[in-house]
Amino acid sequence: MKQSPPKKWKHSLKKGARISAGVAGRCLLVIVLYATYQAAHLELWNRNTPSGVKALTKQEKREDFEYLTRYVRDVYPYNDAIVRLKSLEDLPSLEQSYIERAGLTESNAEFFQLVYEYTQRLRQGDGHIGVYFGGYRPANDSFLQAYFYNIKKSAYLKMDYWGKEAATFGWYAFSNADVVYSGGNYVLNREYAFPDITLPEGTVIEKVDGKRTDEYVNSLQSKTRLLFDAALNKNFIGTLFSIDSNTGSDHWTVDFRLKDGTGYTGKLMKQSASAQAEKGLRSSDYPNAVCRELDGETGYIKIFTFNGQYIESDHAILQNFLNDSKGKYKKLIIDIRGNEGGELTYWGENLVRPLLREPKTFVQYSAVRKGFFDRMGFKYNLYRWVMTNDLLQKDVYHIERVEKASLAEFDEKDWNVFKITKRFTPRDSVPFDGKVYILTDRDTFSAGDSFAAAAKGIKLGEVVGTSTGGSGSAFLAPVDIALPHSGILLKMNVELTLTDRNQPNQIVGTAPDVELPSVYPSDTPRSLETADLLADPWISWVRDQ
């Protein structure tokens, strides 16, 4: 018989802030306050339409960047970490330069490109941070949301305009060489033919456009997010040849080192994004949750995303698979490689609670700069009173208590540190008494990372593979901000979640219990057919245990 989650989950399926079921009176109060606020400022709607934005003056551009850099100085929690761990540029030292550059931009498009560039620097701390435009929109653009974040309704109308401006960017290009990051080096993942030589698999890339690879990677910090290899204390990117760092050239000049020590310099031609072939498993070819029996004692579950839209349907799939096994599996592999997150409720109700045999508690620490609370003022308590935050909703996310804490790494004059205790209890238990193995890689992100962290914390099973991509928040969902003149909308994560070693999770990720040999991007099975799964090295490792 199919099983589905209880109705009380359904209000948790949409991301972002939500209105609680029992607070209609409070909502009415805030709506009245909001209407008064908007009327006072004559900004319920303004004259801008979705079709365009007036040409910004140089002064308006400067003021927008002054607003943005002040907000970052007060609220952004990752600057010290990106300087200390990633050895990247200190953001406060760049403020004046960006403000001056903003005033020198000649068009709205050039200004928007500068804002986008600045947010790429912010993303060195957390991958959630970014600019909304075109089809990438806030999860919630209600009047209440706009009120709490001081966003004019007109800002939501301008996203299509800024999306058209973004289409003029000429930042991206690709190479047809298959290059992976492995053991601190970039190497050819398969042989590559030049007119005069074919370089074998394993050939190392030493320089790009005259820069050593480490230097070249760091030079891209204003164009793309750099990942961090905590074991080697260095930055890397998923696709070495993905940024057109020299738009005046149709190629990259690359210095290679062969296995015999000889060198070769060649030109890798730039290709458009449309020419870049998709690698690895394609989620579009499969249901979101796929279950397989690998052998008589090993079950396998692949989950592509924890998006809320799949909670109910996948609950039935997972329950049926494990109930039908009648407890015969000694090992269960949960493969969340490439899972970029979604809802915490997905893994809490579909994976953790069904696999538990007794209640378990899990503690996380999160640090938020006091500047965030200063900026929110009285609205912060009102927000918590009226809105249901998607991370601290007690009855959905199993929050036992939230309390202030002190950690030596965080000066209490500048930071609020929170200790968050969650308590998971068994529910919809399945007949499985074996060992759980959770496969993670660098592309396991956000709620995917949160699941890995929780699984380690409650000892649900062994996390196996590589460190995740991090960014599993615990205290507050990312907030939205809007620049005052342009109306450009940005998404900003304001909390620094800590690992079990008090390191910034957003940068170092969740470390596995067992590190396995890997490359990045990960080599995943060619398909989810049983034969291809059995050939996967990580799955083979689990079966050998």
Side-chain angles (χ1 to χ4, degrees):
M1 184 179 73
K2 290 186 177 181
Q3 300 189 43
S4 60
K7 292 182 179 180
K8 70 175 183 178
W9 294 6
K10 295 186 178 180
H11 69 285
S12 72
L13 302 189
K14 186 177 180 182
K15 284 187 177 181
R18 311 170 187 87
I19 302 176
S20 305
V23 291
R26 300 174 187 171
C27 291
L28 180 60
L29 170 63
V30 173
I31 289 171
V32 171
L33 291 173
Y34 176 74
T36 304
Y37 168 85
Q38 290 285 38
H41 291 80
L42 300 176
E43 287 291 348
L44 186 59
W45 297 93
N46 75 359
R47 290 173 295 174
N48 291 298
T49 69
S51 61
V53 175
K54 72 179 183 66
L56 298 166
T57 68
K58 295 184 182 298
Q59 183 61 28
E60 287 173 332
K61 295 171 187 175
R62 287 179 58 90
E63 289 176 357
D64 267 13
F65 247 98
E66 287 172 349
Y67 178 90
L68 177 56
T69 55
R70 281 198 307 271
Y71 189 94
V72 168
R73 190 191 318 148
D74 293 343
V75 171
Y76 183 76
Y78 311 109
N79 185 68
D80 292 345
I82 65 174
V83 173
R84 175 173 56 88
L85 294 175
K86 300 178 85 169
S87 300
L88 300 179
E89 291 181 271
D90 178 66
L91 289 171
S93 70
L94 300 174
E95 287 181 9
Q96 196 56 39
S97 170
Y98 271 98
I99 293 169
E100 292 173 0
R101 288 173 63 192
L104 296 174
T105 56
E106 297 294 336
S107 66
N108 282 5
E110 189 177 337
F111 173 73
F112 184 57
Q113 181 165 319
L114 190 66
V115 174
Y116 188 82
E117 174 189 313
Y118 185 71
T119 61
Q120 294 306 300
R121 290 186 180 274
L122 300 179
R123 292 182 74 242
Q124 305 308 331
D126 178 76
H128 285 117
I129 296 172
V131 182
Y132 291 118
F133 58 84
Y136 177 53
R137 295 175 176 273
N140 189 328
D141 60 359
S142 68
F143 284 133
L144 286 175
Q145 189 85 340
Y147 167 73
F148 284 117
Y149 294 146
N150 294 322
I151 296 174
K152 300 173 184 177
K153 192 64 180 178
S154 58
Y156 297 109
L157 301 176
K158 297 174 182 177
M159 285 184 286
D160 287 339
Y161 171 85
W162 293 118
K164 293 176 183 177
E165 297 300 331
T168 65
F169 290 9
W171 282 12
Y172 302 103
F174 296 90
S175 162
N176 62 355
D178 185 357
V179 178
V180 295
Y181 174 80
S182 176
N185 293 314
Y186 291 92
V187 301
L188 292 178
N189 200 35
R190 56 176 54 91
E191 67 178 26
Y192 186 83
F194 285 98
D196 56 338
I197 188 174
T198 296
L199 300 179
E201 176 185 341
T203 299
V204 175
I205 294 171
E206 289 195 317
K207 291 184 179 180
V208 179
D209 291 338
K211 298 177 180 177
R212 300 199 68 83
T213 52
D214 288 353
E215 180 188 2
Y216 177 75
V217 166
N218 283 349
S219 74
L220 302 177
Q221 63 185 280
S222 63
K223 295 293 181 69
T224 189
R225 187 176 187 230
L226 313 184
L227 301 176
F228 182 66
D229 186 334
L232 298 176
N233 198 36
K234 67 186 302 183
N235 303 319
F236 68 100
I237 55 178
T239 306
L240 183 63
F241 300 109
S242 59
I243 302 296
D244 191 358
S245 54
N246 180 5
T247 54
S249 172
D250 63 356
H251 66 272
W252 294 275
T253 300
V254 183
D255 291 350
F256 297 90
R257 186 181 77 249
L258 283 70
K259 291 181 179 178
D260 63 5
T262 60
Y264 177 80
T265 299
K267 295 179 179 179
L268 288 181
M269 303 308 295
K270 295 176 180 177
Q271 299 180 333
S272 67
S274 60
Q276 177 76 353
E278 186 174 355
K279 296 174 62 177
L281 288 170
R282 298 197 314 170
S283 60
S284 58
D285 293 339
Y286 299 94
N288 185 60
V290 177
C291 304
R292 297 280 188 265
E293 180 176 295
L294 299 183
D295 56 49
E297 63 175 28
T298 308
Y300 171 87
I301 297 171
K302 172 66 179 179
I303 302 176
F304 286 99
T305 176
F306 290 149
N307 282 350
Q309 70 193 77
Y310 299 115
I311 294 177
E312 294 192 42
S313 57
D314 287 1
H315 184 79
I317 291 171
L318 301 175
Q319 286 278 311
N320 290 339
F321 174 66
L322 291 170
N323 283 325
D324 289 347
S325 73
K326 301 185 186 306
K328 68 177 179 178
Y329 297 138
K330 296 180 181 178
K331 300 172 186 175
L332 178 64
I333 299 172
I334 302 175
D335 189 347
I336 56 169
R337 287 176 286 184
N339 186 313
E340 295 185 348
E343 292 282 349
L344 306 187
T345 7
Y346 183 108
W347 56 257
E349 305 299 337
N350 288 353
L351 296 172
V352 171
R353 298 185 74 190
L355 290 169
L356 284 182
R357 290 292 170 265
E358 60 185 7
K360 292 288 186 72
T361 59
F362 169 50
V363 173
Q364 286 180 289
Y365 288 87
S366 179
V368 183
R369 294 185 65 89
K370 288 189 173 180
F372 170 74
F373 300 100
D374 292 340
R375 280 179 168 268
M376 285 285 287
F378 77 93
K379 288 183 180 180
Y380 175 76
N381 289 329
L382 188 61
Y383 178 92
R384 289 294 195 194
W385 184 48
V386 173
M387 306 294 282
T388 303
N389 181 272
D390 66 340
L391 300 182
L392 293 186
Q393 186 179 348
K394 293 188 176 182
D395 58 339
V396 173
Y397 297 104
H398 313 287
I399 305 297
E400 188 170 70
R401 59 184 176 276
V402 178
E403 51 197 324
K404 287 283 190 73
S406 296
L407 293 174
E409 297 89 343
F410 297 93
D411 189 333
E412 294 184 2
K413 293 184 299 183
D414 300 321
W415 295 87
N416 283 336
V417 178
F418 300 93
K419 179 182 179 182
I420 302 158
T421 302
K422 299 180 181 181
R423 188 173 189 269
F424 295 96
T425 57
R427 188 180 189 282
D428 289 340
S429 298
V430 292
F432 176 75
D433 291 315
K435 188 166 183 178
V436 176
Y437 295 88
I438 299 160
L439 304 185
T440 63
D441 65 2
R442 293 283 183 179
D443 290 326
T444 305
F445 180 76
S446 191
D449 165 79
S450 293
F451 173 54
K456 286 184 66 175
I458 64 175
K459 295 182 170 35
L460 182 70
E462 277 195 323
V463 177
V464 174
T466 72
S467 293
T468 69
S471 291
S473 299
F475 178 74
L476 187 71
V479 303
D480 298 337
I481 63 172
L483 304 188
H485 297 298
S486 64
I488 294 174
L489 275 167
L490 302 96
K491 181 181 183 180
M492 180 78 71
N493 201 2
V494 302
E495 74 164 299
L496 195 158
T497 314
L498 300 174
T499 69
D500 52 6
R501 299 177 182 176
N502 282 353
Q503 291 294 309
N505 167 275
Q506 281 83 357
I507 292 176
V508 305
T510 297
D513 296 302
V514 179
E515 183 97 25
L516 295 181
S518 66
V519 298
Y520 186 85
S522 299
D523 280 337
T524 55
R526 290 185 302 174
S527 77
L528 293 181
E529 297 305 312
T530 302
D532 286 333
L533 293 174
L534 292 174
D536 180 80
W538 289 10
I539 292 174
S540 296
W541 182 90
V542 173
R543 294 178 67 224
D544 290 340
Q545 299 308 298

